[in-house]
Structures are given as C-alpha cells and as structure tokens.
Amino acid sequence: MVGALDLKTGEREYNPEYKNSSFCQFYNRLLQDERIIKAMKTNGYVGKFCLHTNNMQQIQDFTGNEVILINEEPLDYTKEFLENALMITDYSSVAFD
C-alpha cells in the first residue's frame, strides 16, 4: 500500500491508490462513526489519529472531525503515553513500547 521509497531522501512517495485500500476506508469509516463521535462528545473526550511514520505521506487521505483530529506531525510516543488516557491500536508494535 505504501509508495516507493526514495533512496535519496529516505521518504516514501504518495500513493494515490492508498485511499481506495480497505485499510484506509476502514479507518475513515471508524473516524466518522457517529456512535464514537457522540460518545466522545458526551464524555468530553478528544482523540488523535496517528499513522505509522512509514505511512505519513498518506495522511491527507484521512478525514478528521470536531472530536478526532488527524495528527500530521512527527509524534513523541513517550509524551503521548504520559499525557493521554487511552490508546487504540491495530496491533502496532507501539502498543508494546
């Protein structure tokens, strides 16, 4: 799903087909799920959607809303673990950090 790796910069190219992947479509539906949005608003929560650094070139394919923000910057996971109450992951290795 990820674009080709540019060996000079070490960054991946944007893949326009990524937005059609089941991965991207699933997470966009999850981000826009009215039940989640309502529960977060009711309980005063805000969320942050973070992609793995290998996928950051695709961040523009995701849509946030008033309670779930799309993180577009490099992330300090240690800081995130200290400052946040909950993490939901797709079995990423970050869950073990």
Side-chain angles (χ1 to χ4, degrees):
M1 290 188 305
V2 295
L5 183 64
D6 182 326
L7 297 176
K8 291 181 182 177
T9 64
E11 295 179 5
R12 295 202 177 270
E13 298 173 2
Y14 175 77
N15 177 3
E17 293 303 313
Y18 182 92
K19 63 181 160 244
N20 299 321
S21 70
S22 58
F23 178 90
C24 185
Q25 291 177 4
F26 172 84
Y27 282 100
N28 266 319
R29 282 191 310 269
L30 187 66
L31 293 170
Q32 301 308 320
D33 188 297
E34 287 299 322
R35 297 167 297 180
I36 294 172
I37 293 170
K38 181 180 177 185
M40 291 178 73
K41 284 181 178 179
T42 299
N43 292 290
Y45 290 121
V46 293
K48 186 185 306 183
F49 179 77
C50 307
L51 277 178
H52 189 281
T53 52
N54 285 343
N55 291 353
M56 285 304 291
Q57 74 286 353
Q58 302 300 143
I59 198 69
Q60 67 197 45
D61 294 330
F62 295 91
T63 305
N65 54 61
E66 65 272 21
V67 294
I68 303 175
L69 309 173
I70 304 298
N71 183 69
E72 298 181 12
E73 302 297 323
L75 209 57
D76 178 345
Y77 286 101
T78 302
K79 181 179 179 213
E80 295 298 320
F81 293 149
L82 292 172
E83 294 179 354
N84 294 287
L86 176 69
M87 177 180 73
I88 300 171
T89 180
D90 66 342
Y91 298 105
S92 171
S93 62
V94 73
F96 301 104
D97 288 347

